Amino acid sequence: MFGSEPDALLQKSLGRLPQVLCARNLRHDIDDLVKPILPARPAVVFDHNTGEALGERICRALKAVPVLLAGNPAADMETVDYVRREAAECAGLVAVGGGTINDICKYASFADGKPYVVFPTAASMNGYLSANASIAVEGYKTTLPARMPEAVFCDLSVIAGAPVRLSRSGLGDSLARPTAQADWLLSHLLLGTAYDETPFALLKPFEPHLFENARGIGKGDMESIEALMKVLLLSGLGMTIAGGSYPASQGEHMVAHAMEMLSARHSREGGNPGSFHGEEIGVTTLAVSKRQEALLRKKPTLLPLQFPTEILEKLWEKKAMEEADQTYKIKLARIIENDLDSRLRGNDGWWESIAARIESIMLPSASIQAILKAADAPGTPEALGWDMGAYATAMNYARFLRDRFTFLDLE
Ligand SMILES: [Zn+2]
């Protein structure tokens, strides 16, 4: 699947492995691929774009029940319920699409205890092989437990034919590996939280090739897209192995999430420029990477630990901030328990040895910048059309939104 070493590692870590196939053209094999997994008549879920690219063809080949999601579908509970109703008579689901349709089908099939397979139509994000689904519940984006698909079938000619912004977005999400690893390792070394190298060992044979060929991503080159797809699939498996998004989502995702929450309010008040998740992650990864480098070169101290309720409730919904306060308490307890403030102020060389270990797994921010540039991907908040005041707020306050200790907690 990914080569003998990664496959052996995956087998050892996960036991049950989904079937993964990447080929230049899967069109003639659809029936042979899906039937052994979903022998009864399945439902095929697609939207207008993915239906045209692949979904309608799959539906015909399998003589399946079509479930067309109208307009620009969102990964929310209403759409999940719609898919569950439309597929009620079917024993399994076939998702044809990118992040949104994958999340909808992943959660719908999990909720009904049905198997599902996915035909990705874009190399835009790393959730195809993760076990969680990101679904909006009553307007709040929520990470819900779900299950991996039985199989992922990648038709590379379809994926390479997707709008190039989607592949750039996948590259942006992949670039978060070094910043996320640095944050995850920091928390482990400072606070004794869990940490596992396996997700990174899986990516090691593929990541350099992807980053060296970033230019091809911007041009929709088939070989570069294949490398990207493999990195994204392995990144998802890494999250499944880690039992959470830890190896792929830390400070850089927290800033983007904070920004998204600010923009949600901003857009209700009139207009907000649209950008894809991975485009945002490319930008926040570069910013967070620069911050990590600066902090590793000095002797950092903790930022004020007090949860600034009043300020945060002005920025975000009160209900969300009450939840964030509870989550933040977990992190705060760890910081106090480990007497982190005085340990960081000590002169015993503790920080220096930690900094050296973290530096060894990082990618220089200059390289991250060069990779984004080579792919013609946005590299600055301005390029995303972000409001700079809101962006500064997100950088400062994102650290209060989760229990993860990251470089955002240091100054
Ligand atoms: Zn992401």
Side-chain angles (χ1 to χ4, degrees):
M1 183 160 78
F2 294 102
S4 57
E5 249 176 73
D7 284 359
L9 204 51
L10 283 168
Q11 193 68 50
K12 196 171 138 233
S13 315
L14 286 168
R16 169 196 167 267
L17 276 182
Q19 191 184 339
V20 176
L21 184 71
C22 288
R24 293 209 165 200
N25 191 327
L26 291 176
R27 274 158 235 203
H28 307 292
D29 313 323
I30 293 166
D31 207 22
D32 295 338
L33 291 173
V34 178
K35 272 276 156 66
I37 304 168
L38 307 175
R41 191 182 185 212
V44 178
V45 184
F46 51 87
D47 66 13
H48 179 71
N49 291 327
T50 68
E52 209 166 276
L54 193 61
E56 286 163 8
R57 201 174 312 134
I58 292 176
C59 207
R60 278 198 300 275
L62 299 174
K63 298 183 184 65
V65 174
V67 181
L68 170 68
L69 304 178
N72 205 1
D76 55 27
M77 220 30 118
E78 293 73 35
T79 315
V80 167
D81 289 341
Y82 171 75
V83 169
R84 291 177 68 185
R85 277 197 307 277
E86 292 294 303
E89 305 296 315
C90 301
L93 294 181
V94 179
V96 186
T100 303
I101 290 180
N102 183 54
D103 272 333
I104 293 166
C105 293
K106 193 193 283 183
Y107 193 69
S109 63
F110 173 73
D112 286 331
K114 292 175 181 176
Y116 88 106
V117 304
V118 55
F119 286 81
T121 53
S124 52
M125 51 96 223
N126 56 10
Y128 291 115
L129 284 175
S130 70
N132 293 326
S134 176
I135 303 287
V137 184
E138 289 165 21
Y140 288 105
K141 204 166 150 188
T142 317
T143 302
L144 298 173
R147 216 178 50 186
M148 282 197 291
E150 301 301 310
V152 183
F153 299 122
C154 304
D155 186 316
L156 293 169
S157 64
V158 169
I159 295 168
V164 75
R165 267 185 76 194
L166 290 170
S167 332
R168 286 192 192 118
S169 181
L171 177 71
D173 218 10
S174 309
L175 273 170
R177 193 282 304 159
T179 50
Q181 188 178 1
D183 277 340
W184 199 27
L185 182 56
L186 176 82
S187 177
H188 171 66
L189 296 174
L190 295 186
L191 300 173
T193 48
Y195 173 76
D196 184 358
E197 294 271 351
T198 314
F200 311 115
L202 284 172
L203 288 170
K204 214 161 195 166
F206 301 96
E207 191 189 88
H209 178 72
L210 169 65
F211 291 166
E212 278 156 27
N213 292 290
R215 196 170 300 281
I217 301 292
K219 293 188 177 121
D221 164 65
M222 187 91 82
E223 235 171 83
S224 306
I225 298 288
E226 182 172 5
L228 173 60
M229 202 62 214
K230 285 192 173 155
V231 164
L232 291 170
L233 292 173
L234 284 166
S235 174
L237 285 168
M239 291 193 272
T240 305
I241 290 169
S245 63
Y246 312 97
S249 165
Q250 296 277 347
E252 72 298 314
H253 274 70
M254 286 156 69
V255 173
H257 183 54
M259 200 57 207
E260 222 171 83
M261 286 167 69
L262 288 172
S263 308
R265 180 168 261 194
H266 177 69
S267 65
R268 276 199 299 277
E269 287 157 6
N272 179 56
S275 41
F276 292 128
H277 169 76
E279 290 180 317
E280 297 175 357
I281 297 304
V283 168
T284 56
T285 293
L286 179 55
V288 162
S289 149
K290 285 180 181 166
R291 186 189 174 109
Q292 290 178 341
E293 280 175 350
L295 288 165
L296 286 170
R297 275 187 220 119
K298 60 185 262 191
K299 210 168 147 48
T301 51
L302 283 174
L303 279 161
L305 296 172
Q306 183 71 29
F307 189 84
T309 310
E310 251 177 62
I311 299 175
L312 296 184
E313 283 184 0
K314 270 190 208 129
L315 296 173
W316 292 301
E317 313 285 343
K318 192 167 189 238
K319 186 174 162 263
M321 284 313 102
E322 281 165 5
E323 274 169 35
D325 190 11
Q326 292 308 311
T327 319
Y328 180 70
K329 281 201 176 98
I330 300 169
K331 175 157 87 177
L332 193 57
R334 278 191 204 115
I335 292 171
I336 294 165
E337 220 171 85
N338 285 276
D339 196 15
L340 189 55
D341 190 41
S342 37
R343 287 215 75 181
L344 283 170
R345 288 175 197 279
N347 285 316
D348 53 359
W350 187 56
W351 172 254
E352 287 72 15
S353 68
I354 284 171
R357 185 154 167 216
I358 294 174
E359 236 158 342
S360 71
I361 54 89
M362 285 170 68
L363 197 64
S365 62
S367 306
I368 293 175
Q369 192 159 12
I371 292 163
L372 287 170
K373 192 158 182 273
D376 248 334
T380 61
E382 289 96 333
L384 296 173
W386 274 355
D387 176 84
M388 290 310 280
Y391 179 64
T393 304
M395 281 296 273
N396 285 333
Y397 293 109
R399 69 190 178 97
F400 292 106
L401 300 179
R402 298 195 79 162
D403 67 346
R404 292 183 189 178
F405 185 89
T406 71
F407 278 89
L408 298 175
D409 291 294
L410 299 175
E411 70 173 340

